[in-house]
Amino acid sequence: MNLIFLLPLDVLLPVSSDKSWMHTPEALAKHYIPYNAKFLGNTEVEAPKGTEVVKDAVRKLKFQRHIKKSEGQKIPKVELQISIYGVKILDPKTKDVQHNCQLHRISFCADDKTDKRIFTFICKDSESNKHLCYVFDSEKCAEEITLTIGQAFDLAYKKFLESGGKDVETRKQIGGLQKRIQELETENAELKKQLQELEEQLMIAHVPPAGSVSVKLQSTDVFDMVPFSTVTPLVPSRASNGCPPPPPTSLPPDMSKDLFGAEPFDPFTCGAADFPPDIQSKLDEMQEGFKMGLTMEGTVFSLDPLDGRC
């Protein structure tokens, strides 16, 4: 029976009711689950998901291993360490890390239903951003390893949300608001300076020469405008027939700006937050990876078994 999981989900349940996660959350969150396997290698693929994508990758790597076997080379053994922090591929003797695949970069994971030893996953490379398909041979644990990666992904996604990952967009908006406030404060300071200079010029212009008779004119404000009169009605007056006047067909052009000629502040049109590029890119990458989810599938990679088993 094929197993298909689509992550992330609010409530994650295997499609097959007789399957459940293999380990306790603490085992994957505080430690790691080790597995031994043979590593056929990895190869670049064109898509982050898809059965046909991994089938082609497995065939390609199997063919390469047949050639290397004819040259006397054995399939190298590796140790897999699976946790909520990723899937590490190590040398079993020296414990040197050969590959470190972060879970939010893993988009597809599957085991072979005809060749029970083969399993694979697709991971986006952190440096080249290419999608690489990793293929392994495990004598007894192919399906269990696939399920463990799925469980680790689910736990990592939930931990990401609990630690504030769901607020990445909110933090961006807050950062945008803060940036816009700084811009408005700068504009306000500049406008105050211009206003002060204008008031000084108006005071100089209105000083009458000595001995002249001043003529009292209607008072104006600092912009030479007649001040607003409270007698002016604040609500639209009704027409002579008792019906309210029709609404204006369009707003005056100056309504799009405030008193000082500045564009009105709209918190929903702010740009992205000005976070440090390294931190912001990591948050965006994790959010994008977890949004894509992990597809787990049991499928048939090829009809020919892998030679050279031990």
Side-chain angles (χ1 to χ4, degrees), residues 222-278:
V222 294
F223 299 104
D224 284 335
M225 297 178 63
V226 177
F228 174 76
S229 173
T230 56
V231 181
T232 304
L234 298 179
V235 295
S237 59
R238 292 184 175 272
S240 57
N241 59 2
C243 299
T249 56
S250 61
L251 293 175
D254 58 347
M255 290 295 289
S256 61
K257 296 185 178 181
D258 61 15
L259 176 64
F260 301 104
E263 296 293 336
F265 173 58
D266 186 354
F268 299 102
T269 59
C270 293
D274 193 15
F275 291 127
D278 55 341

Side-chain angles (χ1 to χ4, degrees), residues 15 18 23 46 64 77-78 80 94 99 103-104 108 135 142 169 175 185 231 248 285 297:
V15 174
D18 60 342
H23 311 283
E46 297 181 355
Q64 292 177 357
K77 296 180 180 180
V78 295
L80 299 178
T94 64
H99 302 276
L103 288 175
H104 66 272
F108 191 88
V135 181
E169 293 299 330
E185 289 176 347
V231 181
E285 177 198 336
E297 184 174 335

Side-chain angles (χ1 to χ4, degrees), residues 37-42 65 76-80 87-101 125 134 136:
K38 294 181 180 179
F39 185 33
L40 277 69
N42 59 35
R65 281 299 164 188
K77 296 180 180 180
V78 295
E79 177 182 329
L80 299 178
V87 179
K88 289 185 178 180
I89 304 173
L90 303 88
D91 183 293
K93 295 182 179 179
T94 64
K95 301 299 180 181
D96 292 336
V97 178
Q98 300 175 356
H99 302 276
N100 187 8
C101 303
D125 184 67
Y134 293 76
F136 303 87

Side-chain angles (χ1 to χ4, degrees), residues 3 5 14 19-23 109 111 142-152 296:
L3 293 176
F5 297 86
K19 292 291 182 180
S20 59
W21 292 136
M22 308 291 298
H23 311 283
C109 187
D111 56 277
E143 183 177 353
E144 181 179 335
I145 294 173
T146 302
L147 289 172
T148 302
I149 294 176
Q151 182 183 5
M296 297 177 59

Side-chain angles (χ1 to χ4, degrees), residues 81-89 97 99-108 121-127 129 131-132 134 149 152-154 156-157 160 278 281-283 285-287 289-290 293-294:
Q81 293 182 356
I82 304 173
S83 69
I84 62 171
Y85 301 102
V87 179
K88 289 185 178 180
I89 304 173
V97 178
H99 302 276
N100 187 8
C101 303
Q102 295 173 304
L103 288 175
H104 66 272
R105 291 179 169 271
I106 299 177
S107 53
F108 191 88
F121 62 81
I122 297 176
C123 180
K124 189 176 182 181
D125 184 67
S126 58
E127 296 182 359
N129 283 330
H131 296 288
L132 302 178
Y134 293 76
I149 294 176
F153 186 99
D154 181 45
Y157 175 63
F160 177 72
D278 55 341
S281 62
K282 289 179 180 178
L283 286 173
E285 177 198 336
M286 291 184 70
Q287 187 182 42
F290 282 125
L294 170 64

